[in-house]
Amino acid sequence: MAKGAYLSKYAVVKGQSGVNQNALVAQRAYLEDAWLGKGSNAQENCYLIHSILEGNNITAHGGKVIHAVLGSKVFVGFNSFLRGHEGAKLKVGRSCIVMPHTIIDLEEP
């Protein structure tokens, strides 16, 4: 965990996860083999699994990001569900907004 990062004692971080400088992992967040870039956050009840968030990303309460790569400054809205798969990661470009309750699922369109 990098300098200035915050990891709640009620969060779960597993596997080869990384939390970069000034990143936040809130209570009840779950990271597994996920990378949070500088200034990113995973708010309450988020799941980040096998994903990379490049930096200054916000994953709002209840957001699920699985097998994905998010460019910098991406906002994932409340209770959104983003899922790629191991062979083809879902990619969200820089400075995008994923609206709350959005479902983007490469496995089951």
Side-chain angles (χ1 to χ4, degrees):
M1 197 163 71
K3 182 179 180 180
Y6 174 77
L7 175 63
S8 170
K9 65 181 180 178
Y10 300 108
V12 175
V13 178
K14 297 174 70 175
Q16 298 296 315
S17 294
V19 179
N20 209 330
Q21 186 177 10
N22 296 329
L24 163 77
V25 181
Q27 63 271 16
R28 297 184 307 277
Y30 178 89
L31 276 66
E32 182 176 342
D33 297 323
W35 172 257
L36 281 181
K38 181 179 179 180
S40 295
N41 72 46
Q43 297 177 5
E44 291 86 357
N45 300 314
C46 286
Y47 286 80
L48 302 176
I49 301 170
H50 303 291
S51 295
I52 297 171
L53 283 67
E54 290 184 2
N56 296 310
N57 302 85
I58 296 172
T59 307
H61 309 277
K64 312 295 187 279
V65 180
I66 304 165
H67 289 295
V69 177
L70 280 65
S72 62
K73 299 181 181 176
V74 171
F75 174 81
V76 176
F78 299 96
N79 297 313
S80 291
F81 181 83
L82 307 177
R83 181 172 68 170
H85 53 86
E86 191 172 341
K89 298 229 182 220
L90 171 68
K91 295 182 181 175
V92 178
R94 180 180 209 283
S95 301
C96 286
I97 296 173
V98 178
M99 296 301 288
H101 308 286
T102 297
I103 298 172
I104 303 173
D105 189 347
L106 298 183
E107 297 225 358
E108 189 172 327

